[in-house]
Amino acid sequence: MSGPYNQYPPNYSSPQPGYPPYDQSQQYGQQQQGYPPPAPQYGDAPAGYGPPQRVNSYGPPQHGGFQHGQAGGQYGAYDASNPQGQSGYYGAPAPPQGNRGYDPYPPQQPPHGQHQQPYHDPNNPQQQQQGYPPQDPNAPYDPNAPEGERGLGGAIAGGLAGHFAGNRVGGGHGFLGTIAGAIAGSKLQDKYKDKPHHGGHHGSHHSSSQWGGSGWVWLHLTLLIVSFVMEVFVRNLHDQSTEKQIKQYFRPILAKLNINVFHCQKPRNRGYARITIPDPTSGQRFLDLHGQSLSGHEGFRNVKQKLYRQRRPVNCLLSHNLPDKFILRSLEREEAERTVAERRRQADTSRADNRRLKRSFECFLTAIGSLDYKGNDLTVLDHYQVGRGGRITFGRRRSVVIEFIAEPAQPTTQMEIPYHSIESVLLGSPSHPYITFSLQEVPRFFEKEPSIETDVAQMLGRLGLRPNKGYQDSPKRRRTTAIDAKHQAIVGNCLCYRFRVNREDLQALLALKRLPGHPDIVSWHVKCFADPGFATHMTNLNTALSATNYTRFSFEVKFQLHRLSLNGHLPPSRILQLMQAMEQSLANADNLMLAAALRRFSHQIPYAGPGTEASELSSSSLLELLVDSYHHLLREKDYSKDVTQEYEHIASIYKAVVTPAGIYLSGPEAEVKNRVLRQYSAFSSYFLQVTFSDEDGEAVRYDRTSSLETIYQERFKKVLGGNINVAGRPYEFLGFSHSSLRAQTCWFMAPFTWNGELRYARAVIKDLGDFSAIRSPAKCAARIGQAFSQAFSSVEIPKEAFRSLAEVERHILLKSTYLRTMIEQPVDQAIHLSYFDYAYEGHESASTIDCGWLSHLMSDGRAKGMISLDNRLQGEVLCLRPSMIKFEATSTQIEICGAGFKPLPCYLNRQLIKILEDLGVPDTSFMDLQEGAVEQLRITAENPINAGYYLQRNLVGKSARLPWLIRKLSYIGMIFSDDGFLRHTHELAILIQLRELKYRSRIYVERGMTVYGIMDETGYLQEGQIYCSVQNEKTGLVLTGQVVITRCPALHPGDVQYVDAVDVPLDSPLRAVHNCVVFSSKGDRDLPSQLSGGDLDGDLYNIIYDDTLMPTKITDPADYPTVPAIDIGREVTRFDMTNFFVQFMENDQLGRLSTLHQTLADQKDGGVFDPACVRLAEMCSTAVDFSKTGIPVDLDDMPKSSNVRPDFQAPGPRVLIEKSIKMEEVELQDDDEDDDELEETVPVTRYYESHKILGKLYRAIDEHDFFAEIQRQSRSAWNHQQPSLAEKVWEYVREKTALIQYHHYLGFARDVKEAYEDNMVDTMLEYSSHPKHFVSEVEVFAGALIGNHGAQTKRQREISTSMKEKHDRDVAYTVQCILQGEEQDISNEEALERSIACLDMAVHERRTIRRFGRLVSFIWVAAAVCLKEVEKFSGS
């Protein structure tokens, strides 16, 4: 044999024993002698890879001879119980016990070339039976044949018919049709044959039923499936080979046979693999060339084209295991996608060329520093000289990976640079062959330690021994914070990495820039100068920022200066120069204004690079830029609003982000106050909100290939246990709330003097209450955390108003119902109105809210729960139960965290839909609801009126009056879609809702609601009854009849229950309670606890009264035992709470468990009723309680799963917002095109077409086609000619107001416009994921961040809400300035003149802001105000 795979010496088949030794340069440091170590014994294989259990196998019967297809004792013959003919099973004896290594062949194996005789074991009674004789395919049917043959013909015929029918139906149902047809055919043939032979064969009906008859349908089915798909068993691989390496090895071999889609499974530390090929014909061609029918030497000798990997023979045999049906469906899906992708590639020749580009290059890291200038030349200031050789690989989609060569016995360092973090890539000349990366964020670093366990495993393998089953390698690499200790000192601030490459590779490197998604590579020679004093400059800057130096500058100013350094805007040496210049040029500047100017200045600093002149970063230019920012703010002062002065519940908070490599500052930002901030409102700058995240701003994610212990236990724990020094102030850990814990955010504080005393964190905690009796760190942190929960308002309650109520004991656990309080109306009105002032300010429906419906969520400092109205109580009374008291405190303030002003809308989600499906709700119910929701989105693009109402319903641009503006433009003969910005805002709002439907199945239920829950204190409601009364400004509704009630998250099938909704008598006190659900206080177990473990201290409940969503069956709710919190047996300290914070970050696996539950519920026939799903639901309950008990989930109990998932879990295309909104095409990802180029990459996730309701809902929405249709409709009437829509609006206004004089307000209008745009820039930066990135203007204006790959993440939804609130406040204030002017004239005199001036300024004078370009949204804010005033002026 010749060719690329015949690398073995030609004398392989000679009788010379053994094989030539390995070439050590190609091996893992070991020399192979003789035949290589055998493949693992199946008994040692992990779950899913071993043989079937004896009781369920297709092996010989318990009594009697071998059945169909079985032969006793023949070496190499197939035995389903011994899938690959290994020893220790039927047909070959097990190896003797002791120290003897594993032997894959029978003892006394004859030499090569001799005929292999069957091995006989006289001690095996089953081997005494007669083997099955050869079959004559033409022999007639024998009615007396053994039962094993019965049903085979029917199974095959039925399977073929089912396969044909399934494909005719469409949707890739051929595989399921095969299974169904095989079973039906076998059953029918059995039934037919049983008629003349009633009573069974051979006098043993029991025996035939176990091993013959219909029981054999599964064997027939196995053989039939093999005829439709092929699985190849590969042996004799290196144990240490990775799955990716094996896939890469076989890919070109299979590609020669036109096999482009296949699945490879290679268990870790095992020397075998399985390759699934969906086309049996192609698979047979592979086996004809490279396969062997017999194991071992004899079988390999007869292979036509022998395969070798690393000089080791590769044995390929036909596997008889039943392939995973979900893997098969995923391969079918990939084959269809590949066909489309190949057509696209054939049409795009450039893409075909790109696939052949060289991506991996030798390199040598020489310098780490920063880009700067020497004179007029761009240079690299080398702050750390490294000198490490390695290899740099450009990934296809996400990152550049550099792996450095390690010294012997030293760890190997790997560095990963995400493409999105690259600011510029500079490529040198042949005389200076360097490539320089300038980054926006720190790379990720990993280390691979030499594994002693792997070395031991290799030595055992040489001896033919196998480690025991529990002997497993730890993760092969660990995440680190830097390359080494010296690099650690500068890693967070020095973001320029310089590598020397081979000059022959320069052209290949330059060619990579044309690849989609890759950074632009510029040919630019950059000199390098040593500057080892960076760490010294940082120390000098920290000293200068201390309280004793530069006393002219306040903390607010110093914070912004420190932020410039830590966030990498300027090097510390240049900041020191700037501070000296500021003392002279801005000596009389107001500190608060100067701090604001520095913050704006940081947005305008250019980055050093090819597009920036050296003069732009000179000290004089920077000072001039800062001074201009300061004077600019002075002009805007009257038109900029301080929200902390406007709203009592808002505070300005400084923030810090701690990453594995650095600490970054931001703020001050407006945040809702908590109890601590309210008490120390004058000292808010002494409190620091600290978030722990990865370099990209997202949470540090679980990585199965890497250990994160260094990040959590060293980096993050060190920060939590020490101080964060910011501008001379040492901030120490204070506490965290329950919600901030899940967001990996906590509070730090610096000491300050209060009432003549120095307040440290310990004293602040002591003032909150007495926590000394709590012995659990998790529970103690949760109790303290109540003081850090955001509250919109607080109300002082007289001490004499408090009363005590008896506890309600329910269930055998004596669990309290957590029902809270009755309060007389005057006190309730005070609570209601204080919250009402904020929540409904500026809302048209505010005056229609009635204060009689009350149900409030509250925390009074020592108690937590709900307040509801009871008109039976006399006077001002507030009643508490013992279970509400969490700790002792002296405060009598009630802090309002939420309120049921009106019922919230009810939405389905994927978890709830899956439960309802398994409870009998038909698919058509969900499909109809989703179709209606999609149709609502579609009609919004049909005309401007629909678009305006859609934006109004979804509160998009409401503060800017955007919905009214769109309708107004239509009334005056203009179309909003003629303007790109308005069109993009509308398209973005539609796209976000569409993605919520497709990727979250978030479907609105019109006949449903979401409300707070309280308990029936009157005792009227019986067990299983609820009372729910809804009132708003228009109508009222009392639910009656049978309804569905649930609570999110719902994972257990019993989390959905039926209840009877009843009305109450007219004189019942419950008549005064609205917009909440009242639960009965009767029965053995309270209903809230049956719904995902809910209670009544602020939980929201979903009520559905839609007849189409009523289940046909209901199951018992889950009843998980109460797990007591960890008790450390002493008072909890700060160290205990910080340890718990780190432990929670490290072990919070709720998202992972929920995703696995969703996957298995789709794959298992029982759905959410399957034991694995029920177990996962319980584990999720434990994960939810982790924050209170301190007990993490034991992941060893997690059900096993493969890397095959349903298609509805696949990521969606990325949305780009540039000059227009467009979706990237989802490129087909080959297995060898993994984003992570590291060897230990996570196995590729495959996606199959789900046939259950979530898959149907997912595929029913084609977002590409839908969005393209929306864009076509919105642009169908687009007028490409001039003038623009803004010019048309201006002409319309001037025509209507020709005699109005407004020019004296142009200066005013310029200041208002610039103030608005500066606020817009602040918002774009404040809510970005990284300090050097920013959100697009259209996202801010629409009030929502677009999801990167599908629907928004939970974090993005939370950020979107905060961003929308801030922008709405900014817009509302801008509108107020236009209407009322500088003097804030509430009569709005000359509002028309001011609005015309603002529109004139917006349309005709556009400024360009560095990095952000021209902002355009102010045009439409001004246009809406102006058109409204023109309407009033004209008397329309």
Side-chain angles (χ1 to χ4, degrees):
M1 181 189 109
S2 63
Y5 309 117
N6 187 14
Q7 301 173 5
Y8 213 74
N11 60 348
Y12 166 72
S13 58
S14 66
Q16 178 181 354
Y19 293 96
Y22 284 145
D23 180 356
Q24 294 187 11
S25 64
Q26 301 179 15
Q27 304 306 316
Y28 292 98
Q30 71 181 53
Q31 191 177 27
Q32 180 71 19
Q33 305 213 354
Y35 200 77
Q41 187 169 338
Y42 267 85
D44 293 335
Y49 293 100
Q53 297 296 321
R54 174 61 51 200
V55 68
N56 296 323
S57 69
Y58 301 124
Q62 301 288 341
H63 306 287
F66 279 77
Q67 296 296 327
H68 176 75
Q70 302 295 314
Q74 182 177 356
Y75 174 72
Y78 169 67
D79 177 358
S81 181
N82 178 13
Q84 310 307 333
Q86 299 184 27
S87 63
Y89 295 96
Y90 293 106
Q97 301 297 320
N99 295 327
R100 183 171 182 266
Y102 169 76
D103 186 359
Y105 307 112
Q108 301 177 358
Q109 180 178 338
H112 286 297
Q114 296 186 17
H115 179 67
Q116 180 71 44
Q117 298 294 331
Y119 179 77
H120 175 72
D121 182 3
N123 298 320
N124 187 348
Q126 295 191 5
Q127 223 179 49
Q128 307 295 326
Q129 306 296 331
Q130 180 180 359
Y132 197 86
Q135 297 290 312
D136 180 3
N138 299 317
Y141 168 69
D142 180 7
N144 298 317
E147 284 290 332
E149 296 179 4
R150 294 182 52 193
L152 176 58
I156 294 176
L160 291 172
H163 183 78
F164 174 76
N167 285 327
R168 288 294 299 270
V169 170
H173 299 298
F175 175 74
L176 294 180
T178 299
I179 295 176
I183 296 174
S186 180
K187 292 281 187 181
L188 289 173
Q189 188 172 357
D190 277 353
K191 184 175 181 181
Y192 172 77
K193 292 180 179 179
D194 275 340
K195 290 182 178 180
H197 302 282
H198 184 70
H201 283 286
H202 304 191
S204 177
H205 180 76
H206 172 75
S207 176
S208 67
S209 66
Q210 184 173 358
W211 292 100
S214 297
W216 274 95
V217 68
W218 295 109
L219 175 58
H220 302 157
L221 186 58
T222 302
L223 299 176
L224 184 62
I225 293 300
V226 170
S227 70
F228 285 97
V229 70
M230 180 171 290
E231 185 175 87
V232 178
F233 184 78
V234 182
R235 295 181 56 187
N236 204 33
L237 303 172
H238 281 283
D239 290 2
Q240 290 73 33
S241 299
T242 65
E243 185 171 286
K244 180 180 178 181
Q245 290 172 337
I246 301 304
K247 282 189 289 189
Q248 290 175 335
Y249 170 75
F250 275 102
R251 182 169 294 282
I253 300 173
L254 294 171
K256 290 185 176 182
L257 300 173
N258 291 324
I259 303 174
N260 296 308
V261 174
F262 64 95
H263 180 72
C264 177
Q265 291 175 293
K266 165 64 171 67
R268 189 175 172 188
N269 293 330
R270 294 291 183 263
Y272 64 91
R274 286 190 173 89
I275 297 178
T276 304
I277 302 172
D279 180 15
T281 304
S282 300
Q284 189 59 53
R285 289 203 308 269
F286 170 82
L287 287 178
D288 290 343
L289 289 176
H290 308 296
Q292 56 191 80
S293 58
L294 299 177
S295 301
H297 298 280
E298 184 65 25
F300 192 74
R301 286 170 59 87
N302 298 325
V303 174
K304 292 181 180 179
Q305 293 185 12
K306 299 176 176 62
L307 299 179
Y308 299 89
R309 185 176 183 274
Q310 296 178 330
R311 301 179 61 83
R312 173 179 285 196
V314 177
N315 306 127
C316 300
L317 303 93
L318 175 65
S319 172
H320 298 283
N321 289 328
L322 185 65
D324 188 317
K325 65 179 180 179
F326 298 108
I327 291 178
L328 299 182
R329 278 158 56 178
S330 72
L331 294 177
E332 291 177 4
R333 182 174 181 265
E334 287 182 28
E335 186 65 53
E337 291 177 347
R338 182 175 293 278
T339 301
V340 176
E342 284 299 327
R343 292 172 184 166
R344 191 183 304 125
R345 283 171 178 164
Q346 292 173 3
D348 186 356
T349 57
S350 64
R351 181 176 298 188
D353 293 336
N354 292 342
R355 298 177 69 191
R356 293 191 290 269
L357 291 177
K358 182 178 179 181
R359 293 175 174 272
S360 187
F361 310 89
E362 294 180 357
C363 66
F364 191 83
L365 177 61
T366 60
I368 301 174
S370 58
L371 285 179
D372 210 327
Y373 295 88
K374 287 284 186 179
N376 293 324
D377 295 330
L378 183 65
T379 63
V380 174
L381 294 184
D382 178 6
H383 304 311
Y384 176 42
Q385 295 181 342
V386 187
R388 286 199 179 194
R391 192 161 195 86
I392 182 170
T393 302
F394 286 79
R396 294 183 182 270
R397 291 173 180 82
R398 278 203 311 239
S399 59
V400 180
V401 177
I402 302 97
E403 182 161 349
F404 298 102
I405 299 174
E407 297 293 331
Q410 294 298 315
T412 300
T413 302
Q414 296 169 329
M415 185 171 79
E416 181 179 343
I417 305 175
Y419 284 146
H420 68 78
S421 70
I422 297 177
E423 180 72 24
S424 62
V425 182
L426 307 179
L427 193 63
S429 62
S431 59
H432 295 84
Y434 290 92
I435 185 169
T436 304
F437 293 90
S438 178
L439 310 178
Q440 295 180 346
E441 65 184 48
V442 180
R444 292 160 179 79
F445 301 97
F446 302 88
E447 279 188 357
K448 288 199 305 182
E449 294 284 353
S451 174
I452 298 177
E453 294 180 352
T454 300
D455 294 341
V456 172
Q458 289 178 350
M459 289 187 291
L460 291 174
R462 290 162 137 183
L463 299 174
L465 301 175
R466 168 75 53 195
N468 61 42
K469 188 173 182 179
Y471 189 89
Q472 294 288 339
D473 264 346
S474 57
K476 291 187 176 181
R477 61 174 183 163
R478 63 186 177 93
R479 178 87 179 267
T480 60
T481 57
I483 294 176
D484 53 33
K486 290 184 178 179
H487 183 217
Q488 182 67 63
I490 63 171
V491 63
N493 306 96
C494 298
L495 300 178
C496 185
Y497 291 79
R498 180 177 172 91
F499 299 87
R500 188 176 71 237
V501 296
N502 295 325
R503 59 174 54 90
E504 295 83 6
D505 291 332
L506 291 177
Q507 288 301 318
L509 282 164
L510 191 61
L512 292 175
K513 70 178 182 179
R514 71 171 183 254
L515 293 176
H518 282 55
D520 191 22
I521 301 177
V522 180
S523 294
W524 194 286
H525 173 54
V526 183
K527 296 180 180 179
C528 186
F529 295 90
D531 182 19
F534 185 87
T536 303
H537 296 324
M538 285 293 294
T539 302
N540 293 339
L541 177 61
N542 290 333
T543 302
L545 293 175
S546 64
T548 57
N549 295 305
Y550 288 92
T551 55
R552 161 70 186 81
F553 300 138
S554 67
F555 170 80
E556 290 76 11
V557 173
K558 291 181 177 181
F559 178 92
Q560 298 300 333
L561 290 168
H562 203 177
R563 175 174 167 269
L564 290 176
S565 172
L566 292 181
N567 292 12
H569 294 293
L570 289 174
S573 58
R574 191 149 303 168
I575 296 175
L576 288 169
Q577 296 173 5
L578 182 64
M579 290 175 67
Q580 295 174 1
M582 287 168 56
E583 276 199 314
Q584 299 177 5
S585 301
L586 296 167
N588 299 320
D590 177 78
N591 272 289
L592 292 179
M593 294 295 295
L594 182 56
L598 281 166
R599 184 176 182 179
R600 175 177 296 182
F601 165 74
S602 68
H603 306 159
Q604 300 171 338
I605 299 173
Y607 291 114
T612 303
E613 297 292 335
S615 59
E616 296 180 66
L617 282 170
S618 65
S619 298
S620 58
S621 296
L622 292 175
L623 179 62
E624 182 181 355
L625 188 61
L626 175 60
V627 172
D628 286 346
S629 295
Y630 179 78
H631 291 300
H632 188 80
L633 281 175
L634 285 179
R635 292 195 303 271
E636 297 177 2
K637 184 178 180 180
D638 293 333
Y639 316 110
S640 299
K641 180 176 66 171
D642 184 357
V643 293
T644 62
Q645 301 298 322
E646 187 78 12
Y647 301 106
E648 184 181 350
H649 68 284
I650 297 292
S652 291
I653 301 301
Y654 291 95
K655 298 184 178 182
V657 176
V658 179
T659 72
I663 297 178
Y664 307 99
L665 304 178
S666 65
E669 298 172 8
E671 291 282 342
V672 177
K673 289 180 181 178
N674 53 47
R675 169 157 300 188
V676 175
L677 293 177
R678 187 172 286 109
Q679 182 174 354
Y680 303 104
S681 58
F683 299 90
S684 61
S685 66
Y686 287 86
F687 295 90
L688 185 70
Q689 192 179 84
V690 181
T691 300
F692 293 81
S693 74
D694 212 333
E695 306 299 338
D696 59 359
E698 297 291 334
V700 177
R701 301 176 185 89
Y702 164 79
D703 184 356
R704 59 178 289 186
T705 67
S706 306
S707 168
L708 299 173
E709 184 177 0
T710 301
I711 305 301
Y712 288 119
Q713 297 298 329
E714 295 181 19
R715 168 64 176 166
F716 288 171
K717 182 177 284 189
K718 182 179 179 180
V719 173
L720 284 162
N723 294 329
I724 298 178
N725 192 297
V726 179
R729 285 185 183 175
Y731 289 84
E732 63 176 342
F733 174 81
L734 179 63
F736 50 85
S737 67
H738 181 265
S739 60
S740 69
L741 174 63
R742 295 202 174 274
Q744 300 187 359
T745 298
C746 60
W747 287 94
F748 278 51
M749 68 161 287
F752 57 89
T753 303
W754 187 70
N755 291 342
E757 297 180 359
L758 192 62
R759 307 297 278 181
Y760 290 94
R762 185 181 306 171
V764 171
I765 296 299
K766 186 177 180 180
D767 284 349
L768 294 177
D770 183 7
F771 306 96
S772 60
I774 303 176
R775 296 291 189 255
S776 168
K779 183 174 289 186
C780 183
R783 297 296 177 253
I784 295 175
Q786 292 181 25
F788 296 102
S789 297
Q790 293 182 343
F792 293 95
S793 184
S794 64
V795 177
E796 188 73 32
I797 302 295
K799 289 185 178 181
E800 56 271 16
F802 289 93
R803 298 287 186 272
S804 178
L805 285 180
E807 193 65 83
V808 178
E809 296 183 355
R810 306 279 292 277
H811 201 33
I812 60 173
L813 302 176
L814 301 180
K815 183 176 180 180
S816 169
T817 55
Y818 300 98
L819 255 309
R820 301 320 179 192
T821 67
M822 313 305 116
I823 187 167
E824 185 61 33
Q825 191 164 347
V827 178
D828 177 81
Q829 286 179 335
I831 298 173
H832 167 235
L833 293 177
S834 62
Y835 183 89
F836 173 88
D837 290 341
Y838 163 70
Y840 282 89
E841 180 177 357
H843 290 249
E844 296 176 357
S845 60
S847 61
T848 63
I849 300 297
D850 186 0
C851 64
W853 37 255
L854 299 180
S855 119
H856 296 288
L857 174 64
M858 71 88 184
S859 172
D860 77 336
R862 60 191 176 93
K864 179 176 182 289
M866 296 292 298
I867 297 177
S868 60
L869 177 64
D870 189 341
N871 53 24
R872 297 174 301 177
L873 298 176
Q874 301 298 318
E876 295 186 354
V877 178
L878 191 148
C879 302
L880 302 176
R881 285 198 166 86
S883 62
M884 300 174 60
I885 310 298
K886 305 303 181 181
F887 56 89
E888 295 300 323
T890 59
S891 172
T892 59
Q893 280 190 339
I894 290 180
E895 301 203 346
I896 303 171
C897 304
F901 287 109
K902 59 181 179 180
L904 300 174
C906 177
Y907 291 93
L908 299 178
N909 55 40
R910 283 181 170 173
Q911 290 86 355
L912 182 55
I913 288 174
K914 188 69 189 82
I915 292 176
L916 291 175
E917 177 193 27
D918 292 341
L919 292 179
V921 176
D923 292 357
T924 54
S925 299
F926 306 109
M927 297 295 290
D928 291 345
L929 283 175
Q930 178 175 277
E931 184 178 349
V934 173
E935 185 61 26
Q936 287 293 323
L937 293 178
R938 182 176 285 108
I939 64 175
T940 64
E942 292 181 354
N943 59 68
I945 305 301
N946 290 343
Y949 282 117
Y950 170 77
L951 296 178
Q952 182 175 334
R953 285 196 307 271
N954 290 275
L955 303 180
V956 176
K958 187 173 182 180
S959 59
R961 301 179 181 177
L962 180 61
W964 178 88
L965 173 65
I966 289 176
R967 295 195 297 269
K968 179 65 178 180
L969 290 175
S970 176
Y971 296 150
I972 62 177
M974 302 180 193
I975 302 176
F976 79 95
S977 58
D978 283 350
D979 179 76
F981 182 80
L982 294 181
R983 185 173 63 250
H984 296 159
T985 301
H986 179 231
E987 291 172 353
L988 181 63
I990 292 177
L991 182 59
I992 288 174
Q993 292 296 321
L994 183 71
R995 295 194 130 198
E996 289 288 294
L997 287 170
K998 183 175 179 66
Y999 296 101
R1000 292 181 63 204
S1001 298
R1002 189 171 185 265
I1003 305 174
Y1004 173 66
V1005 180
E1006 184 176 3
R1007 295 179 62 81
M1009 66 181 72
T1010 302
V1011 290
Y1012 286 112
I1014 63 173
M1015 188 183 74
D1016 174 23
E1017 293 287 342
T1018 67
Y1020 176 81
L1021 299 177
Q1022 302 301 309
E1023 182 179 7
Q1025 292 182 339
I1026 65 168
Y1027 171 71
C1028 184
S1029 173
V1030 178
Q1031 286 191 1
N1032 55 34
E1033 63 274 15
K1034 295 181 180 179
T1035 60
L1037 170 68
V1038 176
L1039 292 184
T1040 56
Q1042 194 175 58
V1043 298
V1044 169
I1045 189 166
T1046 185
R1047 173 180 167 270
C1048 291
L1051 295 172
H1052 190 277
D1055 290 339
V1056 174
Q1057 294 292 320
Y1058 271 132
V1059 290
D1060 291 324
V1062 299
D1063 201 353
V1064 296
L1066 295 177
D1067 59 348
S1068 172
L1070 296 181
R1071 285 281 178 176
V1073 180
H1074 307 297
N1075 299 332
C1076 63
V1077 56
V1078 184
F1079 292 97
S1080 171
S1081 60
K1082 299 178 180 179
D1084 293 332
R1085 182 182 177 187
D1086 58 296
L1087 181 58
S1089 69
Q1090 301 177 42
L1091 307 174
S1092 304
D1095 53 32
L1096 299 176
D1097 64 352
D1099 288 356
L1100 292 167
Y1101 295 86
N1102 305 110
I1103 300 176
I1104 299 174
Y1105 48 98
D1106 188 328
D1107 293 339
T1108 65
L1109 296 176
M1110 295 292 114
T1112 59
K1113 61 180 178 180
I1114 290 293
T1115 188
D1116 292 336
D1119 190 6
Y1120 306 129
T1122 300
V1123 180
I1126 292 178
D1127 188 340
I1128 61 175
R1130 55 173 172 81
E1131 187 174 345
V1132 176
T1133 65
R1134 168 194 165 188
F1135 179 76
D1136 296 323
M1137 286 191 289
T1138 57
N1139 275 353
F1140 170 68
F1141 191 87
V1142 173
Q1143 182 192 20
F1144 188 88
M1145 286 193 293
E1146 195 171 13
N1147 294 282
D1148 182 20
Q1149 300 291 334
L1150 181 58
R1152 182 182 170 197
L1153 293 170
S1154 299
T1155 300
L1156 180 58
H1157 179 277
Q1158 194 177 92
T1159 301
L1160 294 183
D1162 186 81
Q1163 294 178 354
K1164 301 293 185 180
D1165 292 337
V1168 294
F1169 289 92
D1170 187 88
C1173 293
V1174 174
R1175 174 62 183 145
L1176 281 170
E1178 183 176 3
M1179 295 179 71
C1180 286
S1181 176
T1182 302
V1184 169
D1185 293 339
F1186 178 25
S1187 59
K1188 299 176 182 178
T1189 64
I1191 301 176
V1193 174
D1194 185 358
L1195 296 181
D1196 291 337
D1197 294 338
M1198 190 166 63
K1200 304 298 181 183
S1201 64
S1202 65
N1203 290 312
V1204 183
R1205 295 183 177 182
D1207 53 357
F1208 58 80
Q1209 291 182 345
R1214 193 160 66 102
V1215 176
L1216 304 178
I1217 302 177
E1218 295 171 347
K1219 293 183 179 180
S1220 63
I1221 300 176
K1222 61 180 181 179
M1223 276 185 278
E1224 287 186 335
E1225 291 288 337
V1226 180
E1227 296 188 9
L1228 185 64
Q1229 178 173 326
D1230 295 330
D1231 292 347
D1232 61 345
E1233 297 180 3
D1234 298 332
D1235 294 332
D1236 185 358
E1237 305 297 326
L1238 302 179
E1239 200 172 86
E1240 296 78 14
T1241 182
V1242 176
V1244 173
T1245 300
R1246 296 186 182 277
Y1247 298 95
Y1248 62 86
E1249 185 176 292
S1250 169
H1251 296 160
K1252 296 186 179 180
I1253 182 57
L1254 291 178
K1256 296 176 183 178
L1257 291 171
Y1258 172 81
R1259 292 187 298 276
I1261 297 177
D1262 187 327
E1263 60 180 326
H1264 279 94
D1265 290 348
F1266 181 90
F1267 193 61
E1269 178 189 349
I1270 293 296
Q1271 289 186 321
R1272 282 194 300 269
Q1273 290 182 8
S1274 64
R1275 302 180 189 191
S1276 59
W1278 183 14
N1279 184 1
H1280 298 265
Q1281 306 298 323
Q1282 295 295 330
S1284 66
L1285 180 63
E1287 289 286 354
K1288 291 180 179 178
V1289 172
W1290 170 248
E1291 292 173 2
Y1292 171 84
V1293 169
R1294 289 308 296 145
E1295 179 183 344
K1296 295 291 184 179
T1297 60
L1299 301 179
I1300 301 297
Q1301 299 298 314
Y1302 67 91
H1303 292 85
H1304 56 292
Y1305 278 115
L1306 286 177
F1308 162 87
R1310 181 181 292 107
D1311 292 340
V1312 171
K1313 173 178 176 292
E1314 291 181 355
Y1316 169 87
E1317 290 178 344
D1318 291 336
N1319 286 329
M1320 172 63 74
V1321 168
D1322 287 342
T1323 305
M1324 294 166 68
L1325 286 165
E1326 181 179 329
Y1327 293 96
S1328 66
S1329 60
H1330 190 271
K1332 293 187 177 180
H1333 304 161
F1334 57 87
V1335 179
S1336 67
E1337 184 183 14
V1338 68
E1339 287 176 284
V1340 174
F1341 197 73
L1345 301 176
I1346 190 69
N1348 292 332
H1349 296 285
Q1352 294 174 312
T1353 64
K1354 181 179 179 181
R1355 183 173 181 272
Q1356 286 176 325
R1357 291 194 296 271
E1358 292 172 349
I1359 291 175
S1360 296
T1361 300
S1362 299
M1363 181 181 73
K1364 186 178 185 305
E1365 290 174 354
K1366 179 184 182 303
H1367 181 64
D1368 285 347
R1369 290 195 299 266
D1370 293 340
V1371 172
Y1373 184 74
T1374 300
V1375 172
Q1376 181 181 340
C1377 288
I1378 297 175
L1379 293 177
Q1380 300 179 3
E1382 299 179 62
E1383 304 299 329
Q1384 296 295 297
D1385 181 9
I1386 60 175
S1387 64
N1388 293 351
E1389 290 186 8
E1390 298 196 343
L1392 176 61
E1393 290 84 345
R1394 286 189 293 268
S1395 65
I1396 296 173
C1398 288
L1399 182 61
D1400 187 0
M1401 187 61 59
V1403 172
H1404 300 116
E1405 185 176 306
R1406 300 188 186 182
R1407 64 169 178 158
T1408 300
I1409 304 175
R1410 185 187 294 271
R1411 292 180 58 200
F1412 301 91
R1414 289 184 174 180
L1415 303 181
V1416 298
S1417 58
F1418 182 75
I1419 294 176
W1420 303 110
V1421 174
V1425 178
C1426 188
L1427 288 174
K1428 191 69 174 179
E1429 294 302 311
V1430 169
E1431 186 179 88
K1432 295 177 183 178
F1433 175 75
S1434 302
S1436 302

